[in-house]
Amino acid sequence: MPKRLIARVNSSLGRFLPEQRLFMKSDSATRFVRLRPITQAWVLAAAGAFFLWAVVATSLLFIAGISSGSAREQAAVAQAAFEQRLVTLAKERDSRASEAVAAQKRFQLALDQVSQMQSQLLASEERRRELETGIDVIQGTLRRTMTERDNARAELAKTQDKDAGKATSLTARADDMASTVDMLSTVLNDTAAERDAAARDAEDARVDADRIALEKRLLEERNDEIFTTLEGAVKVSMTPLDRMFRNAGMNPDSILSQIRKGYSGTGGPLMPISYSTKGEDPAIARDAARANGILERLDEMNMYRIAVDKLPFAIPIYGGYRFTSPFGYRWGRLHAGIDLAGPVGMQVHAPADGIVIAAEWENGYGNVVKVRHEFGVSTVYGHLSRIRVKVGQKVSRGDVIGDSGNTGRSTGPHLHYEIRVGGDPINPMTFIKAAKDVF
């Protein structure tokens, strides 16, 4: 049955692929090899499959090369955008801090003016009360004098006929009282005028105090709006950074504390704002506390930026790779890192600042580079085809430290990547995924 089927297939293919014979001639004999139609079909199919495989492989390598360049550009753009965002926030921080300082100075000036106005108002009120008291005394004296004058005139009228000398004395006394009344009336009028002027001054001072109080209240509302905007912006920026470190298993408080201890950059940490106020105004104290809180959070953001460069949150190779083996136990033994497969010669970049502590051949790893970072973190790069750094060399984030390869105990070209904390291996994807939503 199979022979009949093969014969039918040969017969069908014979119309397109006629039987061919390959002759081989020697000195003593001539031989030939028969190429049946089905044999020719198999050969053509194999040649076509090989050609198709070559086309697909070339396309994949071409696409991998393009994607590698695109990923590097995207990473560079993302890092530039992140740094630009930090610069913008720093400029806005400085601007808002300057506005806050200017606002506090205006607060102090307004408070001084209010204090002066209050002092003037109190002095005016005290002067007015003194004048009113003096007026009351003068009015009482005037009434008593007028009463005595009237009594003297009445007594004078009664005794006119009796004693002329005595009358003359009483007349003189009445004249003296009239002069006293005129003097007291003049003093009373002057005192009333001074009282009215003091009342007008007090009213003007009260109006000025109300105007300054209104300006102070509007200034407080403006400051509150500025502080609220700054607090919201800082919170939105700080939340993903704080979450990134916590998701990576790192204690943000401990990291920030260590960064502050070893900080030697330009400018230093932001210093809190302090003001000298009279009477310790609660509004100024509250605004100063809010301003210091914002400056502390901005200081933390700056410390986070420094810490990001010191911890391996980035992937060491860009584009054209694929994950082939995760972190965990494999064949009964711990696979202490992840494998990133790709063609030989892909550049391996340092994911964070650090110092090279090993650059040598090691059993199992082949050509291996080990980098020590801050906070007890170190990274390992195995199976390299080429090592581009030396022991003791300082590397920065993004520096090329080697090329991927297939050295050591390896089943194909790839990069073996490890992260160790305190000497213990952890899953590198913990750091990589933690930074996914930030970079």
Side-chain angles (χ1 to χ4, degrees), residues 25-335:
K25 185 176 181 181
S26 63
D27 294 337
S28 59
T30 299
R31 298 181 180 180
F32 66 90
V33 176
R34 180 185 297 176
L35 298 177
R36 298 178 180 274
I38 192 170
T39 303
Q40 297 179 44
W42 277 108
V43 171
L44 291 175
F50 177 77
F51 177 76
L52 181 61
W53 174 83
V55 170
V56 171
T58 303
S59 301
L60 290 176
L61 289 175
F62 180 73
I63 293 173
I66 294 177
S67 62
S68 175
S70 177
R72 282 194 296 271
E73 293 175 358
Q74 291 176 0
V77 170
Q79 184 174 0
F82 178 69
E83 293 176 352
Q84 182 63 34
R85 181 182 179 188
L86 290 179
V87 170
T88 302
L89 285 173
K91 291 182 179 178
E92 185 175 356
R93 171 203 67 196
D94 296 337
S95 175
R96 298 306 184 188
S98 300
E99 290 182 7
V101 171
Q104 294 302 331
K105 290 181 179 179
R106 291 196 295 272
F107 269 152
Q108 186 62 43
L109 180 60
L111 287 176
D112 292 341
Q113 292 179 353
V114 170
S115 178
Q116 293 176 2
M117 289 296 180
Q118 288 177 344
S119 299
Q120 294 176 4
L121 182 60
L122 291 175
S124 299
E125 289 290 340
E126 184 177 358
R127 177 62 177 165
R128 185 178 61 81
R129 285 196 295 269
E130 291 176 355
L131 291 174
E132 288 179 350
T133 303
I135 289 172
D136 292 338
V137 173
I138 293 172
Q139 286 177 343
T141 304
L142 181 61
R143 284 193 296 269
R144 187 174 65 253
T145 303
M146 292 177 68
T147 301
E148 291 178 357
R149 183 195 63 182
D150 293 340
N151 292 335
R153 286 177 177 175
E155 186 178 354
L156 178 62
K158 290 178 182 179
T159 59
Q160 251 180 0
D161 297 333
K162 293 182 179 179
D163 192 352
K166 196 175 190 178
T168 302
S169 177
L170 290 174
T171 301
R173 184 180 176 186
D175 292 336
D176 290 339
M177 289 184 178
S179 299
T180 302
V181 169
D182 293 338
M183 181 189 68
L184 291 175
S185 298
T186 302
V187 173
L188 180 62
N189 291 333
D190 294 340
T191 305
E194 290 182 8
R195 180 198 62 187
D196 295 339
R200 287 193 298 271
D201 291 341
E203 183 62 25
D204 293 339
R206 188 177 294 107
V207 171
D208 290 339
D210 293 339
R211 176 181 56 78
I212 294 175
L214 176 60
E215 293 177 356
K216 179 175 177 290
R217 186 169 64 253
L218 294 176
L219 194 58
E220 289 176 349
E221 293 176 356
R222 174 58 179 165
N223 281 350
D224 182 71
E225 181 181 354
I226 292 174
F227 283 136
T228 302
T229 302
L230 276 176
E231 288 169 348
V234 170
K235 183 178 180 180
V236 170
S237 301
M238 286 291 294
T239 299
L241 290 171
D242 188 75
R243 187 189 307 121
M244 178 181 70
F245 281 92
R246 294 188 184 279
N247 290 342
M250 309 297 291
N251 186 343
D253 296 333
S254 175
I255 290 177
L256 293 178
S257 176
Q258 295 183 51
I259 289 290
R260 286 192 179 95
K261 289 179 181 178
Y263 186 83
S264 60
T266 302
L270 299 172
M271 300 304 294
I273 296 176
S274 60
Y275 301 99
S276 175
T277 61
K278 296 181 179 179
E280 304 226 346
D281 188 276
I284 293 181
R286 183 174 60 254
D287 289 344
R290 293 182 70 181
N292 288 333
I294 292 173
L295 290 178
E296 288 176 1
R297 297 297 285 172
L298 290 174
D299 182 33
E300 289 183 7
M301 185 182 298
N302 187 43
M303 296 299 103
Y304 272 137
R305 180 186 62 80
I306 297 173
V308 165
D309 290 336
K310 297 180 179 294
L311 289 172
F313 285 108
I315 297 179
I317 56 178
Y318 305 146
Y321 66 87
R322 64 184 185 280
F323 291 96
T324 56
S325 184
F327 176 89
Y329 282 90
R330 183 174 63 180
W331 303 314
R333 299 179 60 184
L334 176 64
H335 182 241

Side-chain angles (χ1 to χ4, degrees), residues 363-433:
N363 290 334
Y365 286 101
N367 289 328
V368 64
V369 171
K370 298 180 181 180
V371 179
R372 182 177 68 244
H373 307 284
E374 298 287 344
F375 317 114
V377 178
S378 61
T379 51
V380 180
Y381 313 85
H383 309 309
L384 301 177
S385 63
R386 182 181 178 184
I387 296 176
R388 296 179 178 265
V389 291
K390 298 178 180 179
V391 175
Q393 179 179 340
K394 291 184 178 180
V395 295
S396 300
R397 185 183 183 195
D399 289 350
V400 177
I401 59 177
D403 297 341
S404 64
N406 192 27
T407 59
R409 189 165 56 249
S410 172
T411 58
H414 70 282
L415 171 68
H416 176 79
Y417 176 50
E418 296 182 9
I419 295 180
R420 296 176 178 266
V421 178
D424 298 325
I426 67 168
N427 189 353
M429 294 304 299
T430 302
F431 277 80
I432 295 172
K433 290 181 179 179

